[in-house]
Amino acid sequence: GLVTTLPVLCFGLVSPLAPLLAVVLMLAGLNLALLAGAGRWLGGVRGAFLQLALDLLAWGVFLYFSGGPTNPAISLLLPLIAVGATILPARRAWLLVLLAVVIYSLLWEFHLPVAIDDRELAMRWHLAGMWLSFALAAATVVWFVARLTAALSQRERELADTRAARARDAYMVA
């Protein structure tokens, strides 16, 4: 029925609604708690790692209920790894890679398949999903790297301003 299934891509593709909604609600609750300031204990490197790990696990649950490795959205694990690689120390970034590889590997054996009887329609949906997944992954990576680059540029400007002010102060004192 409508309560137990969710049309994923319309046209006959369905996934169980309850577990997907549970994951969405859990992530929404966590993000609201973080915005409300409850995330002080989730600050720093440890917090960033835990948040990215939870996102990987949540995405793994979504993929489990929607075709596992046959779902073209599996490549959306990559932006999470890219974010981790840019903000985490190497050891923790490699732990994220390991977690993503374990999730992907488990999905090879354990997932609910998506059944589409029409092979041509199945291939069209798969290719459309690959395109959408690529576009989202590329946009996410560029958005994050652009924000990081802007923050670094701002920091460099502030450091240059501080150095200039110190040089003026040193000149005035001399």
Side-chain angles (χ1 to χ4, degrees):
L2 187 56
V3 174
T4 59
T5 58
L6 170 70
V8 174
L9 296 172
C10 307
F11 304 110
L13 302 178
V14 293
S15 291
L17 177 62
L20 297 178
L21 279 179
V23 172
V24 168
L25 291 174
M26 180 205 61
L27 289 175
L30 176 64
N31 283 307
L32 288 174
L34 291 172
L35 286 174
R40 289 188 185 99
W41 61 275
L42 273 180
V45 171
R46 177 180 291 161
F49 173 78
L50 288 174
Q51 290 174 49
L52 288 167
L54 280 174
D55 286 343
L56 282 172
L57 291 169
W59 196 241
V61 171
F62 271 91
L63 292 167
Y64 169 83
F65 287 105
S66 59
T70 65
N71 186 330
I74 196 139
S75 64
L76 293 177
L77 294 171
L78 291 172
L80 294 170
I81 295 168
V83 168
T86 57
I87 65 171
L88 297 174
R91 183 171 177 248
R92 298 227 178 166
W94 283 110
L95 286 174
L96 277 183
V97 169
L98 179 63
L99 178 60
V101 169
V102 166
I103 289 168
Y104 199 135
S105 300
L106 287 171
L107 288 169
W108 273 93
E109 290 296 321
F110 307 103
H111 65 274
L112 297 180
V114 175
I116 304 175
D117 293 334
D118 183 342
R119 293 180 78 113
E120 186 176 323
L121 179 62
M123 182 53 74
R124 290 184 68 161
W125 276 117
H126 186 75
L127 292 173
M130 287 174 59
W131 179 88
L132 181 61
S133 182
F134 173 80
L136 287 172
T140 301
V141 169
V142 168
W143 175 79
F144 184 79
V145 170
R147 285 191 59 184
L148 188 61
T149 302
L152 289 172
S153 295
Q154 177 65 28
R155 182 175 171 213
E156 288 298 320
R157 283 190 298 276
E158 291 170 358
L159 285 172
D161 291 346
T162 301
R163 286 186 193 118
R166 284 186 181 168
R168 278 192 308 272
D169 291 346
Y171 177 76
M172 295 295 274
V173 169

